[in-house]
Short mmCIF file of all heavy atoms in Angstrom, two decimals:
data_model
loop_
_atom_site.label_atom_id
_atom_site.label_comp_id
_atom_site.label_asym_id
_atom_site.label_seq_id
_atom_site.Cartn_x
_atom_site.Cartn_y
_atom_site.Cartn_z
N ILE A 28 -160.98 -61.02 108.07
CA ILE A 28 -161.27 -62.51 108.10
C ILE A 28 -161.20 -63.12 106.64
O ILE A 28 -160.64 -64.16 106.36
CB ILE A 28 -162.60 -62.75 108.90
CG1 ILE A 28 -162.48 -62.47 110.29
CG2 ILE A 28 -162.99 -64.26 108.64
CD1 ILE A 28 -163.80 -62.52 111.07
N SER A 29 -161.88 -62.36 105.76
CA SER A 29 -161.92 -62.86 104.38
C SER A 29 -160.54 -62.87 103.70
O SER A 29 -160.22 -63.73 102.91
CB SER A 29 -162.87 -62.10 103.53
OG SER A 29 -162.41 -60.69 103.34
N ILE A 30 -159.68 -61.89 104.14
CA ILE A 30 -158.32 -61.93 103.56
C ILE A 30 -157.52 -63.08 104.02
O ILE A 30 -156.97 -63.91 103.31
CB ILE A 30 -157.64 -60.63 103.95
CG1 ILE A 30 -158.11 -59.40 103.20
CG2 ILE A 30 -156.08 -60.83 103.68
CD1 ILE A 30 -157.63 -58.12 103.75
N VAL A 31 -157.69 -63.43 105.35
CA VAL A 31 -157.00 -64.68 105.95
C VAL A 31 -157.53 -65.86 105.30
O VAL A 31 -156.84 -66.78 104.86
CB VAL A 31 -157.18 -64.68 107.47
CG1 VAL A 31 -156.62 -65.91 107.98
CG2 VAL A 31 -156.46 -63.42 108.06
N GLY A 32 -158.86 -66.00 105.14
CA GLY A 32 -159.54 -67.17 104.46
C GLY A 32 -159.23 -67.27 103.13
O GLY A 32 -158.89 -68.40 102.71
N GLY A 33 -159.08 -66.27 102.40
CA GLY A 33 -158.67 -66.32 100.89
C GLY A 33 -157.20 -66.71 100.74
O GLY A 33 -156.91 -67.56 99.90
N VAL A 34 -156.33 -66.36 101.60
CA VAL A 34 -154.99 -66.77 101.61
C VAL A 34 -154.89 -68.19 101.96
O VAL A 34 -154.20 -69.02 101.26
CB VAL A 34 -154.09 -65.90 102.63
CG1 VAL A 34 -152.74 -66.59 102.94
CG2 VAL A 34 -153.97 -64.50 102.16
N VAL A 35 -155.67 -68.69 103.00
CA VAL A 35 -155.62 -70.14 103.36
C VAL A 35 -156.19 -71.00 102.18
O VAL A 35 -155.74 -72.05 101.92
CB VAL A 35 -156.38 -70.40 104.67
CG1 VAL A 35 -156.64 -71.80 104.91
CG2 VAL A 35 -155.80 -69.63 105.83
N ALA A 36 -157.25 -70.49 101.57
CA ALA A 36 -157.90 -71.28 100.50
C ALA A 36 -157.31 -71.12 99.18
O ALA A 36 -157.67 -71.82 98.22
CB ALA A 36 -159.38 -70.95 100.54
N ASN A 37 -156.33 -70.21 99.02
CA ASN A 37 -155.72 -69.98 97.67
C ASN A 37 -155.11 -71.19 97.22
O ASN A 37 -154.31 -71.86 97.76
CB ASN A 37 -154.68 -68.93 97.79
CG ASN A 37 -154.09 -68.47 96.45
OD1 ASN A 37 -154.67 -68.69 95.45
ND2 ASN A 37 -152.87 -68.00 96.59
N GLY A 38 -155.50 -71.62 95.84
CA GLY A 38 -155.02 -72.81 95.23
C GLY A 38 -155.75 -74.04 95.54
O GLY A 38 -155.48 -75.12 94.89
N GLN A 39 -156.78 -73.91 96.48
CA GLN A 39 -157.57 -75.08 96.79
C GLN A 39 -158.78 -75.13 95.70
O GLN A 39 -158.97 -74.20 95.02
CB GLN A 39 -158.01 -74.98 98.21
CG GLN A 39 -157.05 -74.91 99.28
CD GLN A 39 -156.48 -76.30 99.56
OE1 GLN A 39 -156.93 -77.30 99.03
NE2 GLN A 39 -155.48 -76.44 100.43
N ASN A 40 -159.46 -76.31 95.80
CA ASN A 40 -160.71 -76.37 94.95
C ASN A 40 -161.77 -75.58 95.57
O ASN A 40 -162.12 -75.92 96.66
CB ASN A 40 -161.05 -77.97 94.95
CG ASN A 40 -162.29 -78.08 94.14
OD1 ASN A 40 -162.92 -77.10 93.65
ND2 ASN A 40 -162.81 -79.30 94.08
N ILE A 41 -162.11 -74.53 94.89
CA ILE A 41 -163.09 -73.60 95.56
C ILE A 41 -164.58 -73.80 95.19
O ILE A 41 -165.51 -73.31 95.55
CB ILE A 41 -162.78 -72.10 95.19
CG1 ILE A 41 -162.88 -71.88 93.76
CG2 ILE A 41 -161.48 -71.76 95.82
CD1 ILE A 41 -162.78 -70.38 93.35
N ALA A 42 -164.71 -74.80 94.19
CA ALA A 42 -166.03 -75.18 93.65
C ALA A 42 -167.01 -75.52 94.89
O ALA A 42 -168.16 -75.18 94.80
CB ALA A 42 -165.99 -76.28 92.73
N PHE A 43 -166.54 -76.28 95.84
CA PHE A 43 -167.29 -76.70 96.90
C PHE A 43 -167.83 -75.50 97.75
O PHE A 43 -168.88 -75.57 98.34
CB PHE A 43 -166.69 -77.78 97.81
CG PHE A 43 -165.81 -77.26 98.89
CD1 PHE A 43 -166.51 -77.25 100.19
CD2 PHE A 43 -164.69 -76.70 98.75
CE1 PHE A 43 -165.72 -76.78 101.25
CE2 PHE A 43 -163.84 -76.27 99.73
CZ PHE A 43 -164.40 -76.23 101.05
N LEU A 44 -167.01 -74.47 97.82
CA LEU A 44 -167.49 -73.23 98.58
C LEU A 44 -168.63 -72.57 97.98
O LEU A 44 -169.52 -72.21 98.64
CB LEU A 44 -166.29 -72.24 98.66
CG LEU A 44 -164.98 -72.69 99.46
CD1 LEU A 44 -163.85 -71.74 99.30
CD2 LEU A 44 -165.44 -72.74 100.98
N VAL A 45 -168.66 -72.49 96.62
CA VAL A 45 -169.74 -71.84 95.96
C VAL A 45 -170.96 -72.70 96.13
O VAL A 45 -172.02 -72.24 96.35
CB VAL A 45 -169.43 -71.63 94.47
CG1 VAL A 45 -170.58 -71.10 93.67
CG2 VAL A 45 -168.22 -70.69 94.24
N SER A 46 -170.82 -74.01 95.90
CA SER A 46 -171.99 -74.94 96.01
C SER A 46 -172.47 -74.97 97.44
O SER A 46 -173.64 -75.08 97.63
CB SER A 46 -171.57 -76.33 95.61
OG SER A 46 -170.58 -76.98 96.46
N LEU A 47 -171.54 -74.80 98.38
CA LEU A 47 -172.04 -74.78 99.86
C LEU A 47 -172.77 -73.57 100.09
O LEU A 47 -173.88 -73.59 100.80
CB LEU A 47 -170.82 -74.76 100.74
CG LEU A 47 -171.03 -74.69 102.24
CD1 LEU A 47 -172.06 -75.73 102.70
CD2 LEU A 47 -169.76 -74.76 103.01
N ALA A 48 -172.36 -72.36 99.55
CA ALA A 48 -173.19 -71.17 99.74
C ALA A 48 -174.55 -71.31 99.23
O ALA A 48 -175.54 -70.97 99.75
CB ALA A 48 -172.34 -70.05 99.11
N PHE A 49 -174.75 -71.76 97.84
CA PHE A 49 -175.98 -71.99 97.26
C PHE A 49 -176.79 -72.95 98.10
O PHE A 49 -178.01 -72.76 98.28
CB PHE A 49 -175.91 -72.34 95.95
CG PHE A 49 -175.88 -71.18 94.99
CD1 PHE A 49 -174.56 -70.45 94.73
CD2 PHE A 49 -176.91 -70.72 94.33
CE1 PHE A 49 -174.55 -69.40 93.92
CE2 PHE A 49 -176.92 -69.60 93.42
CZ PHE A 49 -175.73 -68.94 93.27
N ALA A 50 -176.19 -74.12 98.44
CA ALA A 50 -176.90 -75.15 99.21
C ALA A 50 -177.35 -74.63 100.63
O ALA A 50 -178.52 -74.97 100.99
CB ALA A 50 -176.06 -76.39 99.42
N LEU A 51 -176.53 -73.89 101.26
CA LEU A 51 -176.94 -73.33 102.61
C LEU A 51 -178.13 -72.43 102.40
O LEU A 51 -179.00 -72.40 103.17
CB LEU A 51 -175.72 -72.62 103.22
CG LEU A 51 -174.60 -73.41 103.78
CD1 LEU A 51 -173.51 -72.62 104.37
CD2 LEU A 51 -175.16 -74.29 104.98
N ALA A 52 -177.98 -71.56 101.41
CA ALA A 52 -179.08 -70.58 101.18
C ALA A 52 -180.46 -71.24 100.91
O ALA A 52 -181.43 -70.88 101.34
CB ALA A 52 -178.70 -69.60 100.10
N ALA A 53 -180.34 -72.24 100.06
CA ALA A 53 -181.57 -73.00 99.60
C ALA A 53 -182.10 -73.87 100.68
O ALA A 53 -183.35 -73.98 100.92
CB ALA A 53 -181.27 -73.86 98.45
N SER A 54 -181.22 -74.32 101.64
CA SER A 54 -181.66 -75.31 102.61
C SER A 54 -182.13 -74.55 104.02
O SER A 54 -183.10 -74.91 104.56
CB SER A 54 -180.55 -76.18 103.03
OG SER A 54 -180.04 -76.86 101.94
N ALA A 55 -181.49 -73.48 104.29
CA ALA A 55 -181.67 -72.80 105.55
C ALA A 55 -182.60 -71.52 105.51
O ALA A 55 -183.36 -71.22 106.27
CB ALA A 55 -180.39 -72.40 106.24
N ASN A 56 -182.33 -70.76 104.41
CA ASN A 56 -182.91 -69.53 104.27
C ASN A 56 -184.24 -69.58 103.53
O ASN A 56 -185.26 -68.97 103.97
CB ASN A 56 -182.00 -68.43 103.58
CG ASN A 56 -180.75 -68.16 104.38
OD1 ASN A 56 -180.71 -68.49 105.58
ND2 ASN A 56 -179.83 -67.49 103.77
N LEU A 57 -184.31 -70.19 102.39
CA LEU A 57 -185.52 -70.12 101.52
C LEU A 57 -186.75 -70.86 102.16
O LEU A 57 -187.86 -70.20 102.18
CB LEU A 57 -185.26 -70.85 100.19
CG LEU A 57 -186.42 -70.63 99.17
CD1 LEU A 57 -186.58 -69.25 98.77
CD2 LEU A 57 -186.10 -71.42 97.84
N PRO A 58 -186.61 -71.97 102.84
CA PRO A 58 -187.81 -72.57 103.58
C PRO A 58 -188.40 -71.58 104.51
O PRO A 58 -189.65 -71.42 104.47
CB PRO A 58 -187.24 -73.90 104.14
CG PRO A 58 -186.07 -74.19 103.36
CD PRO A 58 -185.44 -72.91 102.98
N SER A 59 -187.60 -71.00 105.38
CA SER A 59 -188.17 -70.11 106.37
C SER A 59 -188.69 -68.83 105.78
O SER A 59 -189.66 -68.32 106.24
CB SER A 59 -187.14 -69.74 107.43
OG SER A 59 -185.91 -69.27 106.89
N ILE A 60 -188.12 -68.33 104.70
CA ILE A 60 -188.72 -67.15 104.10
C ILE A 60 -190.04 -67.47 103.44
O ILE A 60 -191.06 -66.71 103.69
CB ILE A 60 -187.65 -66.65 103.01
CG1 ILE A 60 -186.40 -65.99 103.57
CG2 ILE A 60 -188.35 -65.59 102.03
CD1 ILE A 60 -185.40 -65.68 102.56
N LEU A 61 -190.11 -68.60 102.77
CA LEU A 61 -191.44 -68.89 102.10
C LEU A 61 -192.50 -69.19 103.13
O LEU A 61 -193.61 -68.81 102.98
CB LEU A 61 -191.22 -70.05 101.13
CG LEU A 61 -190.37 -69.81 99.86
CD1 LEU A 61 -190.25 -71.01 98.99
CD2 LEU A 61 -190.89 -68.61 99.07
N TYR A 62 -192.10 -69.98 104.07
CA TYR A 62 -193.16 -70.30 105.22
C TYR A 62 -193.57 -68.99 105.80
O TYR A 62 -194.80 -68.85 106.13
CB TYR A 62 -192.47 -71.21 106.29
CG TYR A 62 -192.46 -72.65 105.93
CD1 TYR A 62 -191.42 -73.50 106.30
CD2 TYR A 62 -193.52 -73.29 105.23
CE1 TYR A 62 -191.41 -74.74 105.94
CE2 TYR A 62 -193.53 -74.64 104.87
CZ TYR A 62 -192.45 -75.46 105.23
OH TYR A 62 -192.48 -76.76 104.95
N THR A 63 -192.67 -68.11 106.16
CA THR A 63 -193.00 -66.76 106.85
C THR A 63 -193.98 -65.98 105.96
O THR A 63 -195.00 -65.39 106.51
CB THR A 63 -191.72 -65.98 107.09
OG1 THR A 63 -190.90 -66.76 107.96
CG2 THR A 63 -192.14 -64.63 107.75
N LEU A 64 -193.72 -65.94 104.67
CA LEU A 64 -194.44 -65.12 103.76
C LEU A 64 -195.87 -65.70 103.43
O LEU A 64 -196.82 -65.03 103.18
CB LEU A 64 -193.77 -64.82 102.51
CG LEU A 64 -192.50 -63.97 102.59
CD1 LEU A 64 -191.84 -63.91 101.29
CD2 LEU A 64 -192.86 -62.56 103.13
N TYR A 65 -195.90 -67.09 103.41
CA TYR A 65 -197.13 -67.72 102.71
C TYR A 65 -197.94 -68.70 103.65
O TYR A 65 -198.83 -69.25 103.30
CB TYR A 65 -196.76 -68.45 101.60
CG TYR A 65 -196.31 -67.54 100.45
CD1 TYR A 65 -194.83 -67.53 100.18
CD2 TYR A 65 -197.07 -66.67 99.79
CE1 TYR A 65 -194.38 -66.60 99.09
CE2 TYR A 65 -196.65 -65.89 98.81
CZ TYR A 65 -195.38 -65.65 98.49
OH TYR A 65 -194.84 -64.89 97.54
N TRP A 66 -197.41 -68.95 104.91
CA TRP A 66 -198.05 -69.93 105.84
C TRP A 66 -198.32 -69.16 107.21
O TRP A 66 -197.39 -68.98 107.95
CB TRP A 66 -197.24 -71.14 106.05
CG TRP A 66 -197.94 -72.25 106.79
CD1 TRP A 66 -199.21 -72.38 107.01
CD2 TRP A 66 -197.27 -73.34 107.57
NE1 TRP A 66 -199.42 -73.53 107.85
CE2 TRP A 66 -198.22 -74.12 108.10
CE3 TRP A 66 -195.92 -73.70 107.71
CZ2 TRP A 66 -198.07 -75.29 108.88
CZ3 TRP A 66 -195.61 -74.87 108.49
CH2 TRP A 66 -196.74 -75.53 109.09
N ARG A 67 -199.67 -68.96 107.52
CA ARG A 67 -200.02 -68.20 108.62
C ARG A 67 -199.55 -68.87 109.90
O ARG A 67 -199.26 -68.34 110.94
CB ARG A 67 -201.54 -67.95 108.60
CG ARG A 67 -202.07 -66.87 107.65
CD ARG A 67 -203.52 -66.54 108.01
NE ARG A 67 -203.99 -65.65 107.08
CZ ARG A 67 -205.25 -65.14 107.18
NH1 ARG A 67 -206.07 -65.63 108.20
NH2 ARG A 67 -205.74 -64.26 106.40
N ARG A 68 -199.71 -70.19 109.84
CA ARG A 68 -199.41 -71.04 111.05
C ARG A 68 -198.03 -71.13 111.56
O ARG A 68 -197.67 -71.43 112.61
CB ARG A 68 -199.92 -72.45 110.77
CG ARG A 68 -199.76 -73.50 111.88
CD ARG A 68 -200.83 -73.35 112.92
NE ARG A 68 -200.86 -74.36 113.91
CZ ARG A 68 -199.86 -74.46 114.88
NH1 ARG A 68 -199.00 -73.47 115.02
NH2 ARG A 68 -199.90 -75.47 115.72
N PHE A 69 -197.07 -70.72 110.68
CA PHE A 69 -195.68 -70.82 110.97
C PHE A 69 -195.28 -69.98 112.22
O PHE A 69 -195.73 -69.02 112.46
CB PHE A 69 -194.87 -70.17 109.74
CG PHE A 69 -193.38 -70.52 109.69
CD1 PHE A 69 -192.97 -71.89 109.83
CD2 PHE A 69 -192.32 -69.58 109.61
CE1 PHE A 69 -191.60 -72.17 109.73
CE2 PHE A 69 -191.07 -69.87 109.52
CZ PHE A 69 -190.63 -71.17 109.56
N ASN A 70 -194.44 -70.74 113.01
CA ASN A 70 -194.02 -70.16 114.35
C ASN A 70 -192.65 -70.35 114.68
O ASN A 70 -191.81 -70.61 113.86
CB ASN A 70 -194.93 -70.76 115.45
CG ASN A 70 -194.90 -72.33 115.44
OD1 ASN A 70 -193.77 -72.79 115.15
ND2 ASN A 70 -195.85 -72.99 115.93
N THR A 71 -192.18 -69.86 115.91
CA THR A 71 -190.90 -69.82 116.40
C THR A 71 -190.22 -71.11 116.22
O THR A 71 -189.04 -71.25 115.63
CB THR A 71 -190.76 -69.42 117.80
OG1 THR A 71 -191.38 -68.11 118.01
CG2 THR A 71 -189.34 -69.26 118.32
N ARG A 72 -190.78 -72.23 116.70
CA ARG A 72 -190.11 -73.59 116.54
C ARG A 72 -189.91 -73.98 115.13
O ARG A 72 -188.75 -74.47 114.79
CB ARG A 72 -190.98 -74.56 117.30
CG ARG A 72 -190.20 -75.99 117.42
CD ARG A 72 -191.08 -77.07 118.01
NE ARG A 72 -191.29 -76.79 119.53
CZ ARG A 72 -192.11 -77.62 120.23
NH1 ARG A 72 -192.80 -78.56 119.68
NH2 ARG A 72 -192.15 -77.29 121.50
N GLY A 73 -190.84 -73.71 114.38
CA GLY A 73 -190.66 -74.05 112.92
C GLY A 73 -189.48 -73.30 112.32
O GLY A 73 -188.76 -73.91 111.54
N ALA A 74 -189.38 -71.97 112.64
CA ALA A 74 -188.33 -71.19 112.09
C ALA A 74 -187.01 -71.70 112.51
O ALA A 74 -186.08 -71.81 111.63
CB ALA A 74 -188.61 -69.73 112.45
N LEU A 75 -186.86 -71.94 113.75
CA LEU A 75 -185.57 -72.36 114.32
C LEU A 75 -185.15 -73.77 113.77
O LEU A 75 -183.96 -73.95 113.37
CB LEU A 75 -185.66 -72.47 115.90
CG LEU A 75 -185.77 -71.11 116.61
CD1 LEU A 75 -185.97 -71.25 118.06
CD2 LEU A 75 -184.51 -70.21 116.37
#
């Protein structure tokens, strides 16, 4: 899949892909990780 994706994206502006990866990680992963580790009240609905 990555080979096909790389061929399709070859020559395109890839800056937004990198920024998207970092923005996705900061927006979706980090809040739930920090809440899980440091907030006892955190639950299923909050995580989803």
Side-chain angles (χ1 to χ4, degrees):
I28 292 172
S29 67
I30 288 171
V31 173
V34 168
V35 171
N37 184 23
Q39 299 283 353
N40 176 3
I41 62 168
F43 90 99
L44 291 173
V45 177
S46 66
L47 177 56
F49 270 82
L51 285 178
S54 306
N56 296 347
L57 188 63
S59 52
I60 289 171
L61 294 181
Y62 279 144
T63 299
L64 294 174
Y65 297 106
W66 188 20
R67 284 189 184 184
R68 179 78 173 78
F69 195 53
N70 56 31
T71 303
R72 184 184 291 176
L75 293 175

